[in-house]
Amino acid sequence: MEVDESFEENRNMEENGNRIPVPVPEYDGMEQVIYQEPEYWCSVTYYEMNNRVGEPFLASGNQLTIDGYTDPSSSGRFCLGLLSNVKRTEKVIETRRHIGRGVRFYYIHGEVYAECLSESNLFVQSTNCNKRFSWNPLTVCKIPPNCNLKIFNQQEFAAELNEAVLHGYDAVHALTNMCLIRMSFVKGWGEQYPRKSLTSTPCWIELQLHGPLHWLDNVLRRMPMPVGGPSDSSDRLPEALARQLANQNQSDTQRYSVSPI
């Protein structure tokens, strides 16, 4: 497997404890809002077509594997083979057979990488990644077997957040979508595929990045609400997630490495 240099650099820096501060957003008349690392760095929800299956999986370790097997007890593995669904179709059953070893996520002080362990392709939609490469925000990227992709970078998100606070509440709200990463197994979606929407793919997952979402929540609660409320209420943090993040034990301020892309 060929791994990009920044992936290896950050893994080595994680082992050696070398970290560099990440900028924090400032708003006129508002104190600096520091990023804090949550107990669980992400939650993963599994879907079949437009049906959620099972409960969200909470990830706390630096590595998370999502596969098609059946281990019920591993804290670092979300095994989709365990999950039942009375509405499961033949198309979904066939796709699940090809998930196999699935995908492994690496969470390395603010950067998230996805590595395809399956013998079938993965398809990912990451607004943060698409912004880095100046792609359309809705672009779906294919990750072939034995390849990896950086799907989230905390430094880049911090820069976006610093810029957004200068434009007000709604601009910060809009960054919620950058904290959600969607991935399908085996079958892709979008303009280049027969399936135009994510919910028409047989098997897919959504990652919610808790640290960035909690950071947004802390910034938004310190900003003046626009007259008439936010322009789009769908941009608000889900109430249940906001409560969950608020109740989690927070550690010391997290610092991040910076590496060339």
Side-chain angles (χ1 to χ4, degrees), residues 73-89:
S73 59
S74 175
S75 62
R77 285 175 62 196
F78 184 16
C79 295
L80 304 180
L82 280 173
L83 303 178
S84 61
N85 178 12
V86 296
K87 299 180 180 180
R88 186 167 290 155
T89 64

Side-chain angles (χ1 to χ4, degrees), residues 124-179:
V124 63
Q125 186 180 70
S126 165
T127 307
N128 183 274
C129 177
N130 291 340
K131 178 81 172 181
R132 184 183 319 128
F133 293 108
S134 300
W135 295 338
N136 185 296
L138 300 180
T139 296
V140 177
C141 185
K142 179 172 70 176
I143 308 178
N146 301 317
C147 294
N148 70 78
L149 178 69
K150 185 194 297 184
I151 57 176
F152 189 83
N153 182 289
Q154 185 73 38
Q155 290 280 345
E156 295 166 0
F157 179 76
E160 291 288 326
L161 183 51
N162 269 290
E163 178 67 22
V165 295
L166 301 178
H167 298 281
Y169 193 96
D170 287 333
V172 175
H173 254 292
L175 292 181
T176 301
N177 287 331
M178 194 170 281
C179 307

Side-chain angles (χ1 to χ4, degrees), residues 73-118:
S73 59
S74 175
S75 62
R77 285 175 62 196
F78 184 16
C79 295
L80 304 180
L82 280 173
L83 303 178
S84 61
N85 178 12
V86 296
K87 299 180 180 180
R88 186 167 290 155
T89 64
E90 287 298 323
K91 183 184 299 183
V92 172
I93 292 172
E94 179 63 24
T95 301
R96 281 169 58 87
R97 292 193 184 108
H98 294 280
I99 293 176
R101 296 174 62 204
V103 59
R104 179 173 294 145
F105 295 101
Y106 298 87
Y107 179 64
I108 306 174
H109 41 80
E111 295 190 348
V112 182
Y113 293 83
E115 178 184 3
C116 181
L117 305 180
S118 175

Side-chain angles (χ1 to χ4, degrees), residues 6 10-11 14 18-22 35-38 41 61-62 106-113 126 128 132 150-158 178 181 209-212 215 254-259:
S6 63
N10 281 339
R11 186 148 60 181
E14 176 74 10
N18 297 322
R19 295 176 176 178
I20 299 173
V22 67
Y35 178 88
Q36 294 177 304
E37 191 65 42
W41 68 269
N62 289 337
Y106 298 87
Y107 179 64
I108 306 174
H109 41 80
E111 295 190 348
V112 182
Y113 293 83
S126 165
N128 183 274
R132 184 183 319 128
K150 185 194 297 184
I151 57 176
F152 189 83
N153 182 289
Q154 185 73 38
Q155 290 280 345
E156 295 166 0
F157 179 76
M178 194 170 281
I181 299 171
L209 303 179
H210 287 197
W215 201 7
Q254 180 68 40
R255 298 176 183 271
Y256 300 90
S257 69
V258 182
S259 59

